[in-house]
Amino acid sequence: MRNIYKTYAMLSVAALLGAACAKEGKENQGQGCLSVTVETAQTRAQSESELLSSAVVKIYKSDFSGLVRSYAYNQMPAELMLPADSYRIDVTAGGCNTSPVTYASWDVKSYEGSEPVTVSAGKNTSVTVTAAISNAVTNISFDSSIAATFAEGYSCTIGLSADDDARQLVYTADKSGQDGYFLPEGFEPSLYWSFSGTLLKDGSTFTKSGTIAAVEKGKRYTISLKYTEKSGNIDLELVVDKSTDIIYDDIIFIPVSTGVAATGRFDIWAGHFTAYADVDESEYDASKVFFEYRKAGEESWTRKSAERQSEGFFSAVIDGLSGSTEYEYRLVVTSLADGSESVIAANTNITTDVAPQVPNNGFETTSNAESSKYKSFYDPESLLPELQTKWWCSGNAGSTTVSSSHQICYPDTENFKEGTQSMKLHSRYVVIKFAAGNLFSGHFGSTIGTSGGTVYFGRPFTARPTAMRLWVKYSSGQVNRRESNAPAEIQTGDYDKALLRIALGTWDYKTYGGDANSPVLVNTTDTSTFVDYSTDESTIALGEVVMTADADNSTNVWQQMTIPLEYRNTNVYPTHIIISFAASYYGDYFTGYDDSQLWVDNVELLYE
């Protein structure tokens, strides 16, 4: 017998002729006020706050003639003035509202619900919208015959597409029996599956694939995989059980009493988090709602005023915190009756996100581990593990093919801001080609004749800094090397400029051509591989500064610079970080001034 579980998060939609409507008198006899309150209880896979932050409420005319209103839940006004008429209220939440849409996940669910409502002038009307799970749910298990027949590493890939990784999940032995969530689209969508394993008896590869047609939202497909052998022929038997079809995991939105509301994981950063609360404004003063917080175990509290986001819903950004640290906070409200303050319920604990720094951020560690012609920015003999392998790289491997005198990135022990040296990026004309001084997170690929080379950008990184701070100094001149494919905006005689960049993203190396550690491959001979991070769909945060230096504006002095990271999507964690510095902005086009020099020292990630 299957386990049925149910979570509740009710959407109470009340059409009320409230005070605002009553003041309008006879002129609004044909209108009513629609008041929408949303509150969720925590679900198994996603927290209350995460569901609410993704919830969208849309109001349509009941005759399907058009959309009347559309609101993100946390931006919804307390009261809506609507003409007396019949409407349809649609609610969506979870993965169907993320950007990009979550089509396949082990834990992110999608919810949909719809109910009719009639707004009548002078009357109170209410409707409850239950948003039911809208995923097709898979649960694949491997029969014992699979482990007995195949070597470790066998797997079954299943998804809404046979060739789109973003719409697939891979069941391995440790995922056996786990639910997977898919968001079907279109008419009678299918699930495509493919099993692959290595046979123990002869080491050969066995594969088999198939299709589960016409899958439905809200149903669980329990799938068992079993090895069979008939008349010496090996086969794989797949049994789909749809008897466990209805997934009871509804979301019903209801108003609740005063108290702290859950904070979703994406609202918790290393240096701050957002606290939420529901407050009954008929009992407590909306202008005197506070959060108090402190490090866990400390005695004194720090107070922060909460802001009213909508009727009965308050929040505050608690900042100035330290990474990987446990804090506790509580809600303090003020009685309307006598002005007394009350602490509501027990303290709530939260642990801030990690706040890592990039390795060798002061460039104090170098070695000739790769070549005697130039310095690399790591040392295999270092006592610190993070300094024993490459994180930073440059184009030295390409520029020094002729001789070590053509280094475009090297330590400078005479010009530095902290420690004993800085890193100097020096643009040069190398025999027959211009080479921009550069330094980046990733690794150099290879040279392509005398035309260019390949560069792999990025390093694994899952934290969310808010800015990058560093010391820089820049000296440049007028562009004297320009290739014909350079953008028209840069011409010979213009002053060269430097580029400082930090980007966080979810770049998939299968899409961007790189490898698992450095997923973004740039081929300098092929401009189609150049990535515009300002529009790139996998870039979730970006910070850039362009430094200029001309006859009237010298930047040839040390200056500390803070580059803010602008997040386009705060509901996803990055998988990689790209930091890159270039002494010549158009270096990818082999264009610039062949004596531009950029010094970089003490690169620091900020978590505020």
Side-chain angles (χ1 to χ4, degrees):
M1 179 177 180
R2 67 191 176 101
N3 293 323
I4 299 176
Y5 59 94
K6 204 168 187 177
T7 54
Y8 293 97
M10 181 174 291
L11 170 64
S12 176
V13 183
L16 304 172
L17 188 68
C21 302
K23 292 179 181 178
E24 300 295 330
K26 295 182 179 180
E27 295 181 5
N28 279 328
Q29 289 295 317
Q31 293 186 324
C33 278
L34 186 68
S35 177
V36 180
T37 304
V38 181
E39 165 79 21
T40 69
Q42 187 166 335
T43 70
R44 172 175 292 188
Q46 292 161 281
S47 73
E48 169 186 335
S49 178
E50 288 172 317
L51 285 171
L52 289 180
S53 67
S54 70
V56 173
V57 178
K58 293 185 177 182
I59 305 173
Y60 295 88
K61 296 290 289 291
S62 62
D63 60 2
F64 298 94
S65 60
L67 178 65
V68 179
R69 299 281 194 278
S70 178
Y71 297 101
Y73 159 69
N74 53 13
Q75 298 175 356
M76 184 180 299
E79 293 182 332
L80 305 175
M81 184 76 73
L82 290 176
D85 206 339
S86 296
Y87 299 92
R88 189 181 86 251
I89 312 295
D90 285 2
V91 175
T92 56
C96 56
N97 291 339
T98 59
S99 179
V101 172
T102 304
Y103 288 103
S105 176
W106 295 109
D107 56 6
V108 178
K109 305 176 187 178
S110 295
Y111 301 87
E112 297 176 1
S114 182
E115 287 292 338
V117 62
T118 298
V119 175
S120 302
K123 294 183 179 180
N124 294 346
T125 307
S126 64
V127 63
T128 297
V129 181
T130 301
I133 190 168
S134 57
N135 298 104
V137 183
T138 61
N139 188 299
I140 296 180
S141 60
F142 298 97
D143 183 77
S144 59
S145 61
I146 299 294
T149 307
F150 294 94
E152 291 184 4
Y154 58 82
S155 65
C156 182
T157 299
I158 188 166
L160 299 167
S161 168
D163 52 14
D164 185 351
D165 292 349
R167 302 187 183 218
Q168 297 175 341
L169 295 176
V170 180
Y171 277 86
T172 54
D174 60 346
K175 292 287 186 182
S176 180
Q178 185 168 329
D179 282 345
Y181 300 93
F182 296 90
L183 187 61
E185 289 183 326
F187 178 71
E188 293 189 349
S190 298
L191 284 171
Y192 302 88
W193 63 271
S194 176
F195 174 87
S196 178
T198 301
L199 287 165
L200 288 170
K201 68 177 184 179
D202 58 13
S204 63
T205 299
F206 174 88
T207 61
K208 186 171 183 178
S209 59
T211 303
I212 303 172
V215 296
E216 300 178 46
K217 294 182 177 182
K219 287 193 174 183
R220 178 185 282 113
Y221 295 81
T222 301
I223 302 165
S224 59
L225 289 168
K226 182 179 181 180
Y227 160 80
T228 60
E229 188 170 344
K230 298 178 181 179
S231 301
N233 294 321
I234 300 169
D235 198 7
L236 190 77
E237 181 180 351
L238 180 140
V239 179
V240 181
D241 180 8
K242 292 187 288 185
S243 62
T244 56
D245 52 355
I246 304 300
I247 307 300
Y248 292 100
D249 194 16
D250 300 339
I251 307 177
I252 309 170
F253 291 81
I254 57 172
V256 297
S257 58
T258 299
V260 172
T263 292
R265 69 179 188 271
F266 294 118
D267 285 326
I268 304 172
W269 297 64
H272 69 273
F273 73 93
T274 304
Y276 299 96
D278 298 288
V279 177
D280 185 349
E281 296 185 31
S282 67
E283 185 177 356
Y284 300 106
D285 188 342
S287 66
K288 297 179 180 179
V289 177
F290 308 98
F291 289 102
E292 292 183 336
Y293 64 96
R294 65 187 181 186
K295 284 186 179 180
E298 292 189 348
E299 294 185 4
S300 61
W301 294 89
T302 299
R303 175 169 289 195
K304 187 74 174 284
S305 294
E307 295 185 4
R308 185 179 188 268
Q309 303 301 322
S310 61
E311 183 177 359
F313 189 62
F314 293 77
S315 70
V317 176
I318 310 299
D319 53 13
L321 309 180
S322 301
S324 301
T325 303
E326 185 180 5
Y327 290 85
E328 53 186 354
Y329 67 103
R330 62 190 186 184
L331 175 65
V332 180
V333 292
T334 306
S335 171
L336 284 172
D338 58 13
S340 61
E341 286 189 355
S342 301
V343 176
I344 300 298
N347 303 337
T348 300
N349 286 54
I350 202 167
T351 300
T352 53
D353 202 0
V354 295
Q357 293 295 327
V358 299
N360 203 14
N361 62 340
F363 311 108
E364 295 296 306
T365 299
T366 59
S367 71
N368 291 105
E370 293 179 292
S371 173
S372 61
K373 295 181 179 180
Y374 58 85
K375 291 291 186 181
S376 297
F377 318 111
Y378 68 100
D379 185 354
E381 297 182 1
S382 172
L383 297 178
L384 300 176
E386 65 269 23
L387 299 179
Q388 294 171 2
T389 56
K390 181 190 295 188
W391 201 91
W392 296 100
C393 194
S394 74
N396 277 335
S399 67
T400 60
T401 301
V402 178
S403 74
S404 60
S405 63
H406 297 303
Q407 293 180 62
I408 57 176
C409 183
Y410 50 90
D412 189 337
T413 58
E414 296 181 359
N415 286 280
F416 57 89
K417 197 62 185 176
E418 297 183 7
T420 60
Q421 62 186 27
S422 68
M423 202 53 58
K424 184 176 180 179
L425 287 57
H426 195 166
S427 295
R428 300 179 186 273
Y429 189 69
V430 181
V431 186
I432 61 171
K433 205 75 171 178
F434 176 81
N438 61 68
L439 176 68
F440 57 90
S441 59
H443 65 91
F444 184 80
S446 61
T447 56
I448 302 175
T450 58
S451 301
T454 56
V455 181
Y456 292 74
F457 287 99
R459 289 298 184 192
F461 193 83
T462 58
R464 293 187 297 170
T466 54
M468 176 174 68
R469 184 168 62 195
L470 71 164
W471 285 98
V472 291
K473 184 169 71 167
Y474 186 48
S475 172
S476 75
Q478 292 174 293
V479 172
N480 62 339
R481 308 290 180 182
R482 186 182 186 278
E483 291 289 315
S484 59
N485 68 338
E489 63 200 53
I490 183 68
Q491 296 293 328
T492 301
D494 294 342
Y495 273 84
D496 205 358
K497 45 193 176 182
L499 175 64
L500 316 175
R501 171 186 290 146
I502 176 173
L504 301 171
T506 56
W507 305 284
D508 184 346
Y509 73 93
K510 297 177 183 177
T511 301
Y512 290 82
D515 54 43
N517 285 324
S518 303
V520 179
L521 171 64
V522 171
N523 181 338
T524 59
T525 68
D526 182 0
T527 58
S528 69
T529 66
F530 295 0
V531 178
D532 183 352
Y533 295 95
S534 64
T535 58
D536 172 58
E537 63 180 9
S538 297
T539 302
I540 65 173
L542 176 65
E544 289 184 340
V545 165
V546 177
M547 297 183 67
T548 58
D550 54 37
D552 299 319
N553 177 30
S554 174
T555 54
N556 192 18
V557 292
W558 281 107
Q559 55 182 306
Q560 190 172 46
M561 190 172 293
T562 298
I563 305 174
L565 270 162
E566 296 185 8
Y567 280 79
R568 302 171 204 157
N569 188 348
T570 57
N571 289 329
V572 63
Y573 293 108
T575 58
H576 292 81
I577 185 172
I578 292 176
I579 299 177
S580 63
F581 309 118
S584 297
Y585 185 91
Y586 296 97
D588 285 346
Y589 298 93
F590 306 102
T591 296
Y593 171 58
D594 56 17
D595 196 28
S596 288
Q597 301 172 63
L598 174 68
W599 289 263
V600 179
D601 201 0
N602 196 40
V603 178
E604 181 184 6
L605 299 180
L606 302 183
Y607 296 85
E608 298 177 338

